[in-house]
Amino acid sequence: MLGQTDVLLWWGHLAHDEVRDEVVERVYDRVMEGMGLIVLHSGHFSRIFKRLMGTTCDLKWREGNDRERLWVVSPGHPIVEGVGEYIQLEHEEMYGEHFDIPAPDTLVFISWFTGGEVFRSGACYERGRGKIFYFRPGHETHPTYHHPDVQRVLRNAVHWAAPTVRSTPRAFGHAQPLEGAGS
């Protein structure tokens, strides 16, 4: 089944350590082969995301009814097509910096919360042939995924992360010189 998956959305909350090693390896291998991966909210602590990032992926957090404003900081990126300058969520859990992830290939969103915190809330990466998008909103006690702009971002992210057909295969391993010896 995973071998036929173009894009996998990963949302998890508490049972990250219960995901078997074989599952993490299979997902990792598929991302390297070109499957897209969209990691949502507390999926930042998933074993697969930590493996792909190579860091603890730890952060600050606070459960509450913070208002969140997700500022679009890469307005030309396909993930934010049809989204205005920001998305406002009236009730969300706060995540704050420092977020222990590598610098994103592209940062799409930065969040601001009513407590004054900021957070890198939309981060794009490429690993192997796969594309990864981390998207912060989505605490299980709030109706975040019913927000039209959040749904638009997720649709756009699925299209962005989908594998692309490459006409030229990538070459690895031992290679002969391009020019003759001694030229």
Side-chain angles (χ1 to χ4, degrees):
M1 210 77 154
L2 192 60
Q4 298 171 341
T5 302
D6 289 334
V7 179
L8 179 67
L9 279 78
W10 191 288
W11 185 96
H13 185 62
L14 295 174
H16 300 301
D17 290 338
E18 294 177 26
V19 176
R20 296 186 323 271
D21 291 342
E22 312 84 70
V23 173
V24 174
E25 288 309 307
R26 284 186 12 236
V27 173
Y28 179 86
D29 290 345
R30 282 291 294 131
V31 170
M32 292 298 124
E33 293 167 3
M35 180 183 76
L37 179 65
I38 299 170
V39 177
L40 302 173
H41 191 60
S42 53
H44 69 90
F45 259 156
S46 66
R47 294 180 61 216
I48 185 59
F49 191 63
K50 290 200 260 187
R51 168 99 192 272
L52 288 162
M53 296 300 107
T55 63
T56 68
C57 299
D58 212 345
L59 48 80
K60 295 177 187 174
W61 61 276
R62 174 180 60 250
E63 279 192 49
N65 283 321
D66 279 87
R67 185 179 38 189
E68 176 182 13
R69 191 169 296 137
L70 293 113
W71 287 98
V72 173
V73 294
S74 293
H77 198 280
I79 288 177
V80 295
E81 181 67 35
V83 175
E85 287 186 288
Y86 62 87
I87 299 170
Q88 186 154 309
L89 303 173
E90 293 305 319
H91 304 285
E92 256 303 341
E93 177 180 29
M94 183 284 295
Y95 279 11
E97 294 292 340
H98 179 73
F99 185 16
D100 187 24
I101 56 172
D105 296 336
T106 305
L107 184 61
V108 179
F109 290 104
I110 294 176
S111 287
W112 169 87
F113 295 89
T114 50
E117 298 86 3
V118 295
F119 190 76
R120 291 170 285 164
S121 288
C124 297
Y125 298 92
E126 289 190 26
R127 296 290 187 268
R129 290 185 176 205
K131 293 179 183 176
I132 302 163
F133 178 56
Y134 171 75
F135 191 49
R136 195 224 60 82
H139 192 264
E140 70 277 5
T141 62
H142 302 295
T144 305
Y145 296 124
H146 296 282
H147 191 287
D149 283 334
V150 169
Q151 291 178 354
R152 180 183 317 274
V153 167
L154 294 176
R155 272 193 311 274
N156 291 348
V158 166
H159 291 290
W160 171 82
T164 55
V165 177
R166 298 175 192 221
S167 58
T168 306
R170 296 172 10 172
F172 298 102
H174 183 263
Q176 298 297 320
L178 295 176
E179 304 293 330
S183 319

